[in-house]
Amino acid sequence: MTLLSDIISASAHLTNSNQLPSDEYDRRIRELVEYFRRLQSTKALDSLASDKSVFDHFDPAINSIPYLFLLHVQIQKAQEPNTNAVPADLHPSGNLWTHAAHFLASFNEVQVRYAGREWRLLVELVGQASQAASMPLLGATLIKDAMLRLDPSCAVFTSSHLLLVRLCLQAKAYSCALPVLNKQICHFPIPVGRSSSEPSVLCADHGSAVSFMTEAAGFSSKLSYREYLQYFLYGGMVYMALKKWRNALHFLGIVISTPSTSSVSLIMVEAYKKWVLVGLLEKGKLCSPPSITAPHVTKVYQSLARPYIILARAFERSDLKRLNAEIDAAKGVWCADNNVGLVSQVVGAFFSQTVIKLGKTFAALTVADLSKQVFPSPVCAEVTGSAVSSLIMSRALNATLVQTKDHAGSSMLRFSSIHSLPRLSRELDLQSQLGQEMRLMETLVINLGETNNNLALSDEYVDSLNKGQAWSGSSEVNPISVEEGGLDMDEDLMGDMS
């Protein structure tokens, strides 16, 4: 009997998985994975490394394990003699790329739970191949779909999250990242030795993917402090590119408020600089860092981002002349920080934000008076009126333009409050907001129970219980360290972002 026949026979036990009890299915798939890893370690699979027809015998939707291992052995064969290079056959349109894409689009998500390391390595190879071929969008699309297939909630932060966002930024395909970016991250892979009673039956239904996406499972490479910060910084950049300023502020706020001891990383400083600019675009003012940001960290930000603070102050004073002067004076800073595009948008937003501020002071203004209030030099009223009309039509400004009867005088701009909007419109907006908040709360509640369970099983919590028994009169409890979340406190102290 040939090796291929043996593999087909061994894989046939999983064909009718729906008819098997969970514990029996779990036993069979574990035995199959061990069988393939044994073949891999003994180099027995090498005999199939050049057989291009081997994939005709397996369907990745049904036989995910054999398909995945055979794909890896053929990729390794194609990488010889340079194991660090991406083989040409794995580039888009290559034979191996076709098989990899077929697998990532249709694999059985339950079977893959037992081969997390092999799944991640394939995802990383697809990302590298798409970059090497200068086609990052192809890799990003496959990786996004594979991540959502494995865990629709994407609630466990992995190295694949960062890889996806990087590819989307390189491809300038920002919307491609949204299905993952819009998910709430609630967990990190549980470290080895601290597993929350890792279930023996991985194929069973689990309320949260954190039950099977542990460090030991291999779905993520080793995570550090840097990866965590980079993901939210790059995610904020994706939202900036899509002009979703509120989402961008949220992501940047996570970065700049991350706990720090004596120094801050360059990534955090970069995030703060963008935070200042995005705050001007979203709220028209210099936004204070989140309240949980340590005071000494805020002082470091203000010191290292001084040109941005000065720019924001000029913006807040509605002083266009001073704003332009500060922008010209710090051109080198904007270029060095790669923030020229954001700064130019700040100038473009000056008019709209100034008009919105005037609406909080005046009930109505003529377009001529509005032009004098905003621009230091005379500007044609028609130009101002056209700009105001654009703001109203884009719903950036709640106001009404009223033309005089004789059309000789200047048009009148009447500002509106939220209470003056039609009742139905207000109720629909409120209903939409409540729906979003409800979905967010449901996600948090689902993951809160798992988090509490993880913390209750941690070494720190057990130590606190022991201390509580020893000193029953004490109300102090040991704080949970950041490492409990599965992160290494290996902070990048003003290092590069490469």
Side-chain angles (χ1 to χ4, degrees):
M1 200 173 188
T2 64
L3 176 60
L4 181 58
S5 300
D6 288 342
I7 291 175
I8 294 174
S9 177
S11 304
H13 294 294
L14 301 179
T15 303
N16 299 319
S17 59
N18 294 333
Q19 302 174 9
L20 296 174
S22 294
D23 54 349
E24 176 63 18
Y25 183 64
D26 178 80
R27 183 186 65 79
R28 291 187 181 186
I29 196 169
R30 286 183 186 276
E31 290 178 352
L32 183 63
V33 171
E34 287 304 316
Y35 169 69
F36 274 101
R37 286 178 176 164
R38 187 164 57 251
L39 291 177
Q40 196 174 41
S41 63
T42 59
K43 305 294 184 180
L45 282 179
D46 289 358
S47 61
L48 301 175
S50 302
D51 186 356
K52 300 301 182 182
S53 64
V54 70
F55 298 106
D56 298 336
H57 300 278
F58 303 99
D59 180 356
I62 301 173
N63 310 115
S64 296
I65 299 301
Y67 201 99
L68 179 58
F69 277 90
L70 290 170
L71 187 55
H72 269 294
V73 76
Q74 295 214 356
I75 291 174
Q76 290 169 3
K77 176 68 176 179
Q79 285 178 313
E80 295 177 354
N82 188 357
T83 57
N84 294 323
V86 178
D89 205 20
L90 190 57
H91 285 196
S93 76
N95 187 55
L96 289 176
W97 173 275
T98 302
H99 291 307
H102 183 37
F103 175 84
L104 292 178
S106 58
F107 65 85
N108 183 297
E109 61 275 15
V110 174
Q111 291 184 22
V112 164
R113 293 177 186 177
Y114 296 80
R117 179 178 175 275
E118 289 77 13
W119 181 90
R120 171 179 58 84
L121 291 176
L122 181 62
V123 165
E124 292 174 351
L125 282 168
V126 165
Q128 294 169 13
S130 64
Q131 287 178 304
S134 300
M135 297 179 180
L137 177 57
L138 295 179
T141 303
L142 286 175
I143 293 171
K144 174 203 65 178
D145 293 340
M147 291 175 65
L148 293 170
R149 188 175 188 83
L150 177 67
D151 174 22
S153 72
C154 286
V156 182
F157 180 67
T158 67
S159 53
S160 299
H161 283 71
L162 182 57
L163 174 60
L164 171 65
V165 179
R166 277 177 170 160
L167 289 173
C168 290
L169 284 173
Q170 291 173 1
K172 298 183 179 180
Y174 311 110
S175 297
C176 179
L178 293 183
V180 172
L181 275 182
N182 289 339
K183 304 289 186 180
Q184 300 295 323
I185 290 179
C186 303
H187 308 282
F188 295 95
I190 301 172
V192 177
R194 298 185 192 176
S195 176
S196 58
S197 64
E198 183 178 351
S200 58
V201 182
L202 294 179
C203 59
D205 292 332
H206 301 286
S208 172
V210 73
S211 302
F212 57 85
M213 293 183 69
T214 62
E215 274 194 4
F219 284 105
S220 176
S221 59
K222 188 70 174 178
L223 294 171
S224 69
Y225 199 59
R226 173 192 287 262
E227 279 76 34
Y228 171 78
L229 295 178
Q230 283 182 331
Y231 173 74
F232 286 101
L233 174 60
Y234 294 162
M237 292 167 64
V238 168
Y239 284 125
M240 289 177 225
L242 296 172
K243 300 186 186 299
K244 294 180 179 288
W245 309 122
R246 182 175 301 179
N247 300 73
L249 274 179
H250 174 64
F251 268 56
L252 295 175
I254 292 174
V255 180
I256 67 177
S257 62
T258 299
S260 179
T261 51
S262 58
S263 301
V264 298
S265 71
L266 178 60
I267 300 174
M268 296 169 71
V269 175
E270 287 299 312
Y272 180 74
K273 292 175 180 178
K274 295 183 188 321
W275 163 276
V276 172
L277 299 176
V278 174
L280 297 178
L281 293 166
E282 170 63 18
K283 299 184 177 181
K285 64 178 183 179
L286 175 61
C287 297
S288 301
S291 57
I292 61 174
T293 309
H296 76 275
V297 173
T298 301
K299 290 180 180 178
V300 172
Y301 290 151
Q302 293 173 345
S303 173
L304 297 177
R306 186 167 178 77
Y308 293 84
I309 303 294
I310 295 173
L311 176 68
R313 296 301 183 197
F315 190 101
E316 286 183 318
R317 297 190 188 100
S318 299
D319 188 342
L320 182 59
K321 186 175 181 180
R322 177 67 182 276
L323 179 68
N324 286 325
E326 296 298 342
I327 290 174
D328 290 338
K331 278 184 178 179
V333 175
W334 320 136
C335 290
D337 295 338
N338 293 319
N339 285 329
V340 174
L342 272 179
V343 172
S344 65
Q345 291 189 71
V346 166
V347 177
F350 178 83
F351 175 77
S352 60
Q353 291 291 350
T354 304
V355 173
I356 292 171
K357 290 177 186 176
L358 290 173
K360 298 176 181 178
T361 305
F362 300 96
L365 276 175
T366 64
V367 172
D369 289 337
L370 176 66
S371 183
K372 293 177 183 178
Q373 290 276 352
V374 176
F375 300 105
S377 57
V379 175
C380 176
E382 292 182 2
V383 174
T384 306
S386 176
V388 170
S389 299
S390 298
L391 288 177
I392 295 173
M393 288 187 290
S394 65
R395 302 188 68 180
L397 177 66
N398 291 324
T400 305
L401 266 178
V402 181
Q403 185 68 41
T404 55
K405 292 182 179 180
D406 56 3
H407 299 279
S410 177
S411 300
M412 179 69 69
L413 178 65
R414 297 189 182 278
F415 297 100
S416 307
S417 66
I418 185 65
H419 301 291
S420 64
L421 294 174
R423 180 177 177 180
L424 178 60
S425 177
R426 297 202 308 271
E427 290 182 351
L428 288 175
D429 288 342
L430 181 59
Q431 184 177 5
S432 175
Q433 293 176 19
L434 288 174
Q436 293 176 7
E437 294 297 328
M438 185 179 296
R439 288 189 292 272
L440 175 59
M441 290 300 296
E442 289 174 350
T443 301
L444 294 178
V445 168
I446 290 172
N447 290 279
L448 183 60
E450 189 68 40
T451 300
N452 287 339
N453 185 41
N454 294 340
L455 294 178
L457 292 171
S458 67
D459 295 337
E460 289 83 357
Y461 183 76
V462 174
D463 290 343
S464 71
L465 289 181
N466 293 334
K467 290 183 179 181
Q469 292 173 356
W471 299 286
S472 58
S474 173
S475 61
E476 292 186 6
V477 178
N478 278 358
I480 302 300
S481 70
V482 177
E483 288 189 355
E484 184 59 45
L487 286 178
D488 291 330
M489 288 302 292
D490 179 21
E491 188 170 10
D492 167 35
L493 300 180
M494 300 306 291
D496 60 32
M497 292 176 59
S498 61

